[in-house]
Amino acid sequence: MDVDGQTSHREIRAEIRKLCLRFPGDYWRACDRDRKYPVEFVAALTEAGWLAALIPEAYGGSGLPLSAAAVMLEEIQRNGCNGAASHAQMYIMGTLLHHGSEAQKREYLPKIASGELRLQAFGVTEPASGTDTTSIRTFAKRQGDQYIVTGQKVWTSRAEHSDLMLLLARTTPREEAMKRTDGLSVFIIDMRDALGHGLSIKPIRTMMNHSTTEVFFDGLEVPAKNLIGEEGKGFRYILSGMNAERILIAAECIGDAKWFIGKATGYAKERIVFGRPIGQNQGVQFPIAQAYARMRAAELMVHSAASLYAAGRDCGAEANMAKMLAADAAWEAANVCLQTHGGFGFAEEFDIERKFRETRLYQVAPISTNLILGYLAEHVLGLPRSY
Ligand SMILES: Cc1cc2nc3c(=O)[nH]c(=O)nc-3n(C[C@H](O)[C@H](O)[C@H](O)COP(=O)(O)OP(=O)(O)OC[C@H]3O[C@@H](n4cnc5c(N)ncnc54)[C@H](O)[C@@H]3O)c2cc1C
């Protein structure tokens, strides 16, 4: 295990750091101001092969373990950049890799690895279902050798900057399914063909630059060969990818926390008020030290979850705890960093207010803290199901 948070994947850390230097704060500030997708940053990651890290070598990727992808994303955030522009490709790809047919893998994975195709959009959440995924209403009805998809998704991030979307839809109405988790299916949608032919996308402007959207399906024809795995088993396929998603997002939060703590420490040493550095006051240094300790504890949980994942063991509890603890550590560090900077923390040019807004998301998405606590209460502690 990476006990000091520095030992593993040193070369990856160094390479990502070098790449991030090409995208300083003013690049991200300009994107943020215009809510512009960071096309150049994502292109640089793609060209360097980083977005193909988890794709096996047989399909043109580098076949690296999840821990390597976690380090990449951590380092992106730690260097002030934002991995949210492209992180989804890493965890969405797992559903295709683990549950797709050989023909689907051969068709898509090499092109995703080379950057010819972008798989950045993951359509699960719907306006009326919220966190209760099994109550989604988007329906895919089989008609001959195709499915006709009707419904709506919300918060489908990066849909305008992706060629492919992984879509979760009902193929059996919830009332007719044996269990509420049955009757859901996963499709790979080629949005290049679909746009304007049954698929439309509407951007949602949010408090941070996230390129998120609403997606409407109005009789979209999807070839039956685009069904992933077996019809009706989609919920299980999506769930199995969620541990990877939680671990990778947790690693991003650790990166954010390190960025905030680094900024706060640097400023506390330099800023002179009442004739001495503000960091000489315990009222300033203790909150930073506390945020550091909490970040390090959360980091151990991220490594524990990643190690279990690599060993092929059940890591549901650890992945969820890692996501929650790391998101909390990042949010605490963000708050401490802002407070340490006093008024200057609110100035755009310091980048703190931007990162502050960005890291707040992880209290809610991809799963909110309450739902993680509910999972732990039920599945780890054996308490009655609360939702
Ligand atoms: C910027 C952004 C990007 C996103 N990107 C994507 C994406 O790419 N693809 C995608 O599919 N989704 C995406 N999401 C959706 C995200 O996963 C959901 O917002 C999240 O899962 C919470 O669902 P909800 O917003 O419907 O909240 P709700 O489910 O409506 O919950 C609202 C609040 O109530 C709480 N709550 C609900 N039920 C319970 C309960 N039983 N016990 C205790 N508390 C409860 C929740 O914790 C939450 O705080 C994104 C969201 C955002 C904001």
Side-chain angles (χ1 to χ4, degrees):
M1 194 192 286
D2 186 0
V3 284
D4 63 1
Q6 292 298 323
T7 317
S8 69
H9 305 299
R10 278 181 201 275
E11 308 76 24
I12 294 180
R13 286 188 192 277
E15 287 301 317
I16 295 284
R17 219 171 287 148
K18 220 187 301 167
L19 188 149
C20 288
L21 278 176
R22 289 160 47 199
F23 300 92
D26 53 2
Y27 171 79
W28 294 101
R29 254 171 266 145
C31 289
D32 183 64
R33 222 172 286 135
D34 300 336
R35 293 294 188 270
K36 177 184 164 288
Y37 188 71
V39 179
E40 303 78 8
F41 177 68
V42 176
L45 284 176
T46 309
E47 276 158 30
W50 292 115
L51 295 188
L54 296 179
I55 297 179
E57 285 173 290
Y59 301 105
S62 358
L64 292 173
L66 190 76
S67 59
V71 161
M72 273 177 55
L73 291 170
E74 178 197 318
E75 214 52 50
I76 287 173
Q77 301 303 117
R78 184 187 194 166
N79 286 283
C81 298
N82 193 356
S86 53
H87 59 193
Q89 184 146 307
M90 308 245 177
Y91 48 79
I92 302 177
M93 187 276 302
T95 305
L96 176 59
L97 181 65
H98 297 121
H99 307 287
S101 67
E102 192 51 37
Q104 288 168 334
K105 288 191 253 186
R106 297 224 165 270
E107 181 174 353
Y108 296 113
L109 290 178
K111 289 184 186 151
I112 296 170
S114 71
E116 189 183 331
L117 283 181
R118 298 164 301 175
L119 173 58
Q120 293 287 358
F122 191 28
V124 176
T125 311
E126 296 187 4
S129 68
T131 312
D132 183 8
T133 304
T134 60
S135 69
I136 62 166
R137 294 194 192 143
T138 296
F139 202 87
K141 189 174 167 51
R142 179 89 192 226
Q143 254 178 34
D145 59 358
Q146 58 184 14
Y147 285 87
I148 309 297
V149 183
T150 308
Q152 186 197 338
K153 295 288 172 184
V154 69
W155 305 121
T156 313
S157 302
R158 303 159 298 271
E160 294 173 296
H161 304 281
S162 186
D163 303 301
L164 305 171
M165 175 197 291
L166 203 73
L167 172 73
L168 184 71
R170 274 231 161 258
T171 39
T172 305
R174 184 163 152 161
E175 315 74 67
E176 291 170 29
M178 297 271 283
K179 287 192 287 177
R180 63 200 175 105
T181 49
D182 287 346
L184 291 154
S185 302
V186 176
F187 299 88
I188 187 146
I189 309 287
D190 194 327
M191 294 196 287
R192 297 166 305 171
D193 304 336
L195 262 178
H197 300 98
L199 180 123
S200 54
I201 303 174
K202 194 172 150 213
I204 306 174
R205 196 175 162 93
T206 51
M207 69 187 258
M208 68 294 172
N209 184 22
H210 201 88
S211 307
T212 196
T213 70
E214 285 176 284
V215 178
F216 300 88
F217 303 88
D218 184 12
L220 173 70
E221 296 174 1
V222 177
K225 70 177 175 60
N226 287 30
L227 171 74
I228 292 194
E230 276 180 61
E231 188 183 293
K233 300 229 166 113
F235 189 71
R236 260 155 274 173
Y237 303 155
I238 294 282
L239 266 193
S240 75
M242 281 182 173
N243 289 334
E245 180 193 58
R246 311 249 194 281
I247 295 168
L248 292 177
I249 301 267
E252 288 190 346
C253 291
I254 295 296
D256 273 345
K258 288 182 180 176
W259 185 88
F260 285 118
I261 291 165
K263 279 264 173 193
T265 309
Y267 191 75
K269 285 178 190 163
E270 281 167 17
R271 173 73 170 164
I272 308 291
V273 182
F274 296 111
R276 58 187 189 164
I278 56 168
Q280 202 174 326
N281 302 299
Q282 291 181 335
V284 173
Q285 60 179 230
F286 281 11
I288 306 175
Q290 179 123 325
Y292 176 77
R294 294 213 169 116
M295 176 277 289
R296 290 299 313 279
E299 185 176 43
L300 290 177
M301 187 59 82
V302 178
H303 293 153
S304 167
S307 302
L308 287 169
Y309 184 94
R313 290 173 52 194
D314 179 21
C315 63
E318 287 75 12
N320 273 292
M321 287 190 284
K323 193 282 167 175
M324 182 182 81
L325 297 173
D328 285 352
W331 182 231
E332 180 181 350
N335 213 17
V336 165
C337 184
L338 189 67
Q339 194 68 20
T340 304
H341 280 76
F344 289 108
F346 296 85
E348 208 182 29
E349 67 178 283
F350 280 71
D351 292 316
I352 293 160
E353 59 84 34
R354 172 178 61 81
K355 295 281 280 180
F356 182 91
R357 286 181 279 116
E358 286 171 0
T359 211
R360 180 63 176 82
L361 173 65
Y362 300 115
Q363 294 289 319
V364 171
I367 182 171
S368 68
T369 301
N370 276 0
L371 270 291
I372 291 181
L373 293 172
Y375 173 92
L376 294 174
E378 181 189 351
H379 296 284
V380 179
L381 304 176
L383 291 165
R385 183 179 171 85
S386 67
Y387 56 93

